[in-house]
Amino acid sequence: MPSARPRAHASLGLELWVIGTHEELTGLRAQLGGAGRLLEVGEAHVLAGADAGRYRQYLRVHVRTAEGAPWSAS
């Protein structure tokens, strides 16, 4: 459980499976990279069937939360 006590440099580690077009995934990686650091970027897998034209990709990211604000799930 996250601490309720504010910290000067609070951060959050995220593991994500993202699905979207090549352009959407590129834009998302740029935004997440701007908010923190991309630790791992998996290979983009082409989807088929109803999801043709879309990709699935694994990302592991380390982002800073608002300075001094504790992270909350709510």
Side-chain angles (χ1 to χ4, degrees), residues 4-63:
R5 191 176 66 192
R7 294 176 285 176
H9 299 289
S11 63
L12 180 64
L14 303 171
E15 288 188 75
L16 309 164
W17 279 101
V18 294
I19 297 174
T21 64
H22 178 72
E23 293 78 18
E24 290 169 337
L25 296 183
T26 300
L28 179 62
R29 286 192 312 269
Q31 289 180 356
L32 290 171
R37 186 175 55 193
L38 295 173
L39 300 174
E40 187 174 343
V41 178
E43 183 179 335
H45 299 277
V46 178
L47 300 176
D51 288 319
R54 300 174 75 201
Y55 299 82
R56 181 186 73 211
Q57 187 172 40
Y58 172 80
L59 302 173
R60 193 160 65 98
V61 187
H62 187 257
V63 295

